Amino acid sequence: MNYFPDEVIEHVFDFVTSHRDRNSISLVCKSWFKIERYSRQNVFIGNCYATSPERLLRRFPCFKSLTLKGKPHFADFNLVPHGWGGFVQPWIEALARSRVGLEELRLKRMVVTDESLELLSRSFVNFKSLVLVSCEGFSTDGLASIAANCRHLQDLDLQENDIDDHRGQWLSCFPETSTTLVTLNFACLEGETNLVALERLVARSPNLRSLKLNRTVPLEALARLMACAPQIVELGVGSYEDEQDSESCLRLQAAIRKCTSLRSLSGFLEAAPHCLSAFQPVCHNLTSLNLSYAAEINGSHLIRLIEHCKKLQRLWILDSIGDKGLEVVASTCKELQELRVFPTDLHGGGNAAVTEDGLVAISAGCPKLHSILYFCQQMTNEALITVAKNCPNFIRFRLCILEPHKPDHVTSQPLDEGFGAIVQACKNLKRLSVSGLLTDQVFLYIGMFATQLEMLSIAFAGDTDKGMLYVLNGCKKMRKLEIRDSPFGDAALLADVNKYETMRSLWMSSCEVTLGGCKRLAQKAPWLNVEIINENDNNRMEEENGYEGRQKVDKLYLYRTVVGTRVDAPPFVWIL
Amino acid sequence: MEKDGLGLEITELRLGLPGTEKMMKKRGFTEMIMTSSGSNSDQCESGVVSSGGDVGKVSESPVAKSQVVGWPPVCSYRRKNSCKEVSTTKVGLGYVKVSMDGVPYLRKMDLGSSQGYDDLAFALDKLFGFHGIGVALKDGDNCEYVTIYEDKDGDWMLAGDVPWGMFIESCKRLRIMKRSDATGFGLQPRGVDE
């Protein structure tokens, strides 16, 4: 390859887009490293504290798109206290100072401020795309800056963020000349929007493909919006609960019929049961359906809609669909690749809405299924073994039995054999979440068979350190390991310190690791940040010297890094 | 090792040296089991509560309806927006949903703004623009409709039986149902008393 001029090699590299592949080719030789670094367009940083903005800019001076992730996954479940970190401000400041022509910024679980958004909007002339997922710290004022200043904005995609809604006029801040929008998703905003401004914006955006409204956009407005944008591919419906006259309904149905490109439907946060039928004309084209927020729609209405969705590839639903409903899905949706079934009732009481039967039905009926997230109240080994036989193609298998430690409800045995069957059959399994009653045995299976596993979530499982050791020793491709409320301690933590260099991060909360153990780890591995999150004032770990070593650590989060201890940690985070 | 149900002793979490009573975790393991199994003390597995001895550090009265932090693993955005967890804490306070057979949309009304069943009757009439509902509440068997409500336990009850105070405390939603649909339920006409 060195006989070719650099431009030719670079052109070849253009076809290599995955960041992992690009990382690999950059390691081949110095010349390739250099060519690759100047030509990398999209940079992915899975842990913002693993590196720094300065190092990013030094290595990749010409990138256009940056993806950054901040808090650990368990932050989604309130296990990481407010103020822990993940601030995007220093990144935007550094990028703004440099000459990077940033066009796209994708953030997940980061703290974003209005100041950051304002700076972002003013610093990059060609900025096109902002995607914020599970972020917090900003308000609609920040959105107003983006709307007003980003002349070429194509995507404003806000997913599940915690945004302070000032009910202002941020939508009106898009200048009249702005016609470039492709994606507009503000479903997570709580407040009223200026419907006139919204309609005018949609009407002057001929490239708009994805429109996801929030719960305050009423039905009549939806009809008008769809009439303005019949080219829409993804639609997030707002509110359906308002009193609707039949004329509105008819207008909506007429508008929906014209949306022949519609492939994805979501939203329905405030939905009356009868609203779904208006969408029946487009069902046969739908590839993605997310009804997981539509708590008011009961199983039978869901089924009536899904019966028409023969091309569905992705379905997110509530467990109110029931096993019967899942059987309908299994017999109708032969193209289904991803299924998520969420719990309606978090307390696990009431009717057993979906059981192991629903899961088995899906596995039998949907040959292309590769990703599943399934919340249920009961499971059996037999069902899991059947699922494994039916579906050896799982890439992601996440099962959450609502009650911790619940055994096989027929045999009262642990679910080790069931999960064992899953990891043995699914040779491409990359992500696994286990639940129910589990002993060290299941981890033996995971260590032995789950050779491609990259992310593992463990809760209320295992008996001894051996469990964790099986996983650390066996799963060579492990990147993210998160454990809560399981009896793993220092012996497992310290057995193979070098393992953590091959992983992005390890989270352990309410386990058996001690402060002494964590300190020993930090000593052995200076290239790790070992963080103890310590919220109780009572835990005066410094004081009682003799016992300190044996004091249990409530939350441990460790990750490899090339830039050492971070400087923005709050007082309740101790970095050893 | 005694095998009481789940063999909890192995997985018991304790803070500090064995025997140090004071260094107890805020939320003991057995508490978590009890709360996550529906947190009704009657329903607790007796093995859990009475396994005394080495597990007994934790107080044996179940923590009232408190949840294990972050369990089940549903992200906070989703919890806020859809799960029934939200509605159970709003029992008796403020707005409940009202549905009426034959009407394709639901309404919401504030129970707190009514002083009694008469008020409620009047409010329901206004809500749906239909004068029959109030009659149903007051004078049962002559009316085309019955008013029923879903209580805290998820059961559907005929409105008007219990004192007003008790009613608004337990009413989660209202439904105005055609009497003809309700006959299967075995509702007694008001006049016939035990």
Side-chain angles (χ1 to χ4, degrees):
Chain A
M1 277 287 264
N2 282 335
Y3 300 122
F4 292 116
D6 287 358
E7 303 83 60
V8 174
I9 301 181
E10 195 182 308
H11 184 65
V12 173
F13 286 2
D14 280 349
F15 294 96
V16 182
T17 47
S18 114
H19 65 271
R20 285 196 211 181
D21 288 342
R22 291 203 71 117
N23 289 346
S24 302
I25 63 180
S26 70
L27 293 175
V28 168
C29 62
K30 281 203 175 112
S31 151
W32 280 29
F33 182 87
K34 182 168 157 239
I35 298 171
E36 197 283 315
R37 57 182 271 250
Y38 283 104
S39 62
R40 186 165 321 195
Q41 300 281 285
N42 309 311
V43 178
F44 173 87
I45 297 176
N47 174 6
C48 64
Y49 290 120
T51 183
S52 69
E54 291 70 39
R55 293 184 71 115
L56 164 66
L57 288 164
R58 262 209 306 271
R59 174 148 178 210
F60 300 116
C62 307
F63 71 93
K64 299 248 182 322
S65 162
L66 176 62
T67 302
L68 273 175
K69 296 191 182 181
K71 302 181 210 169
H73 175 231
F74 276 1
D76 285 352
F77 317 129
N78 296 328
L79 289 177
V80 176
H82 187 74
W84 171 85
F87 308 106
V88 79
Q89 180 70 6
W91 291 86
I92 298 186
E93 277 173 6
L95 263 50
R97 278 194 298 267
S98 77
R99 274 173 310 178
V100 158
L102 191 68
E103 292 183 12
E104 176 179 72
L105 185 62
R106 309 173 71 99
L107 304 177
K108 187 166 186 180
R109 289 192 206 98
M110 295 202 68
V111 177
V112 180
T113 59
D114 289 342
E115 189 196 342
S116 309
L117 291 175
E118 161 98 35
L119 182 59
L120 177 68
S121 72
R122 290 194 186 285
S123 310
F124 307 103
V125 171
N126 283 324
F127 192 74
K128 293 194 173 71
S129 174
L130 181 63
V131 180
L132 302 177
V133 180
S134 302
C135 296
E136 40 137 354
F138 61 106
S139 77
T140 44
D141 295 348
L143 298 180
S145 322
I146 297 287
N149 303 328
C150 299
R151 297 284 164 84
H152 305 286
L153 193 69
Q154 290 179 7
D155 306 311
L156 180 58
D157 190 355
L158 308 168
Q159 301 175 28
E160 304 194 352
N161 302 291
D162 188 5
I163 306 176
D164 195 7
D165 196 331
H166 293 167
R167 288 165 174 75
Q169 296 296 322
W170 70 277
L171 267 175
S172 333
C173 293
F174 282 100
E176 286 299 318
T177 47
S178 152
T179 56
T180 49
L181 268 186
V182 175
T183 302
L184 180 61
N185 173 5
F186 59 94
C188 59
L189 280 179
E190 295 288 312
E192 310 280 324
T193 37
N194 182 332
L195 293 174
V196 172
L198 175 61
E199 242 177 275
R200 283 163 60 168
L201 179 61
V202 169
R204 67 175 186 274
S205 304
N207 297 328
L208 194 68
R209 292 278 169 278
S210 174
L211 178 63
K212 295 184 184 171
L213 310 167
N214 76 349
R215 69 195 330 144
T216 66
V217 177
L219 206 62
E220 319 85 67
L222 177 65
R224 288 196 300 271
L225 288 165
M226 291 181 80
C228 290
Q231 76 280 9
I232 211 99
V233 176
E234 296 178 350
L235 178 67
V237 169
S239 158
Y240 247 98
E241 249 194 351
D242 292 342
E243 198 168 328
Q244 10 155 322
D245 54 295
S246 48
E247 205 184 309
S248 267
C249 254
L250 285 173
R251 260 203 302 259
L252 177 64
Q253 291 189 19
I256 290 172
R257 260 192 210 93
K258 295 220 180 81
C259 295
T260 52
S261 302
L262 192 57
R263 297 289 174 272
S264 161
L265 208 52
S266 62
F268 299 97
L269 284 113
E270 307 264 348
H274 305 272
C275 66
L276 283 185
S277 46
F279 287 93
Q280 262 178 26
V282 289
C283 279
H284 62 280
N285 277 332
L286 285 182
T287 56
S288 169
L289 183 59
N290 181 356
L291 294 171
S292 61
Y293 290 103
E296 301 304 321
I297 302 180
N298 71 24
S300 54
H301 287 110
L302 291 173
I303 293 170
R304 239 174 277 154
L305 190 82
I306 290 173
E307 272 169 351
H308 300 274
C309 300
K310 298 204 184 329
K311 290 199 188 151
L312 218 52
Q313 294 172 14
R314 193 168 95 130
L315 176 62
W316 289 25
I317 201 101
L318 286 171
D319 61 5
S320 47
I321 194 175
D323 284 338
K324 286 276 168 282
L326 289 177
E327 282 165 31
V328 173
V329 173
S331 58
T332 311
C333 308
K334 295 303 182 186
E335 302 296 312
L336 196 67
Q337 298 176 20
E338 178 188 333
L339 174 67
R340 296 196 190 190
V341 181
F342 292 97
T344 328
D345 188 346
L346 293 178
H347 299 204
N351 346 320
V354 296
T355 70
E356 68 273 21
D357 294 338
L359 184 60
V360 170
I362 291 285
S363 73
C366 304
K368 300 194 180 172
L369 191 67
H370 58 58
S371 297
I372 191 157
L373 169 61
Y374 197 79
F375 283 84
C376 59
Q377 291 183 33
Q378 61 186 50
M379 190 48 58
T380 63
N381 282 309
E382 185 184 349
L384 286 174
I385 292 169
T386 308
V387 168
K389 253 195 282 236
N390 292 340
C391 254
N393 297 324
F394 276 121
I395 302 175
R396 295 172 204 93
F397 188 86
R398 295 156 71 189
L399 179 66
C400 181
I401 301 166
L402 290 166
E403 187 186 319
H405 294 281
K406 186 152 185 184
D408 178 321
H409 74 92
V410 169
T411 65
S412 299
Q413 291 299 298
L415 290 170
D416 301 334
E417 298 306 310
F419 280 105
I422 294 283
V423 293
Q424 197 171 358
C426 303
K427 310 232 183 302
N428 295 322
L429 196 67
K430 291 208 177 124
R431 183 167 181 184
L432 177 66
S433 301
V434 295
S435 58
L437 181 65
L438 295 165
T439 71
D440 286 344
Q441 186 70 10
V442 71
F443 299 113
L444 173 67
Y445 291 141
I446 292 174
M448 248 183 355
F449 297 114
T451 52
Q452 302 301 310
L453 197 64
E454 297 180 5
M455 182 169 178
L456 178 61
S457 308
I458 301 171
F460 304 102
D463 303 317
T464 71
D465 283 333
K466 280 205 272 194
M468 186 169 162
L469 283 168
Y470 290 140
V471 171
L472 289 175
N473 292 334
C475 300
K476 300 294 179 209
K477 299 223 177 149
M478 185 63 65
R479 289 188 307 117
K480 289 182 279 184
L481 182 56
E482 45 187 28
I483 307 173
R484 63 166 293 177
D485 295 279
S486 301
F488 306 134
D490 296 340
L493 182 69
L494 293 164
D496 179 7
V497 164
N498 291 322
K499 173 73 176 171
Y500 305 125
E501 195 178 7
T502 65
M503 289 168 54
R504 183 189 296 175
S505 64
L506 169 67
W507 169 282
M508 292 180 77
S509 59
S510 305
C511 296
E512 300 283 309
V513 291
T514 68
L515 182 57
C518 293
K519 283 191 169 175
R520 278 204 300 285
L521 175 62
Q523 263 177 334
K524 286 190 183 181
W527 35 265
L528 276 185
N529 272 356
V530 179
E531 297 194 6
I532 312 287
I533 297 168
N534 183 29
E535 292 166 273
N536 314 333
D537 267 333
N538 309 335
N539 263 345
R540 298 208 172 278
M541 292 194 166
E542 305 293 3
E543 286 179 0
E544 301 176 51
N545 251 330
Y547 294 127
E548 147 205 287
R550 273 166 284 190
Q551 191 139 353
K552 294 278 167 62
V553 154
D554 194 33
K555 291 170 185 167
L556 162 67
Y557 179 54
L558 61 86
Y559 51 90
R560 65 185 175 190
T561 178
V562 293
V563 291
T565 307
R566 61 181 173 115
V567 296
D568 61 1
F572 57 79
V573 173
W574 301 351
I575 308 184
L576 303 177
Chain B
M1 171 199 92
E2 50 173 10
K3 192 108 181 90
D4 52 325
L6 305 174
L8 287 170
E9 295 81 358
I10 308 170
T11 46
E12 182 211 339
L13 295 176
R14 280 180 292 160
L15 201 63
L17 301 172
T20 47
E21 291 280 311
K22 57 181 178 176
M23 306 233 281
M24 218 166 65
K25 265 185 114 65
K26 230 172 27 174
R27 196 184 302 279
F29 195 74
T30 45
E31 280 175 46
M32 293 199 292
I33 287 296
M34 297 195 299
T35 54
S36 60
S37 323
S39 71
N40 204 330
S41 53
D42 316 332
Q43 293 166 15
C44 271
E45 298 177 36
S46 53
V48 171
V49 176
S50 62
S51 56
D54 41 346
V55 186
K57 288 202 163 85
V58 177
S59 81
E60 304 208 337
S61 53
V63 181
K65 268 285 181 189
S66 61
Q67 295 295 298
V68 176
V69 175
W71 191 265
V74 171
C75 73
S76 36
Y77 176 81
R78 186 170 288 281
R79 275 177 194 263
K80 248 193 320 171
N81 281 295
S82 69
C83 297
K84 277 205 180 135
E85 172 175 290
V86 172
S87 60
T88 47
T89 56
K90 288 200 172 148
V91 167
L93 304 165
Y95 287 81
V96 297
K97 293 187 178 159
V98 189
S99 61
M100 179 167 174
D101 283 0
V103 179
Y105 53 86
L106 279 69
R107 300 302 303 268
K108 260 197 172 148
M109 73 173 290
D110 183 16
L111 281 186
S113 65
S114 298
Q115 312 310 331
Y117 284 114
D118 285 3
D119 254 9
L120 175 66
F122 181 67
L124 286 175
D125 279 357
K126 256 181 51 182
L127 207 58
F128 289 103
F130 179 78
H131 292 298
I133 308 168
V135 177
L137 273 177
K138 285 188 283 205
D139 181 14
D141 35 338
N142 293 335
C143 177
E144 197 192 339
Y145 288 90
V146 289
T147 304
I148 60 178
Y149 69 97
E150 187 183 9
D151 72 357
K152 272 194 286 224
D153 301 320
D155 297 319
W156 286 93
M157 317 284 289
L158 185 67
D161 284 343
V162 300
W164 177 251
M166 200 186 287
F167 167 73
I168 57 169
E169 253 186 63
S170 55
C171 172
K172 265 172 50 184
R173 62 190 299 166
L174 281 161
R175 180 175 165 194
I176 299 156
M177 188 174 177
K178 278 205 159 67
R179 177 168 288 278
S180 47
D181 288 341
T183 45
F185 290 17
L187 281 174
Q188 303 286 345
R190 282 286 171 75
V192 179
D193 255 340
E194 316 60 56

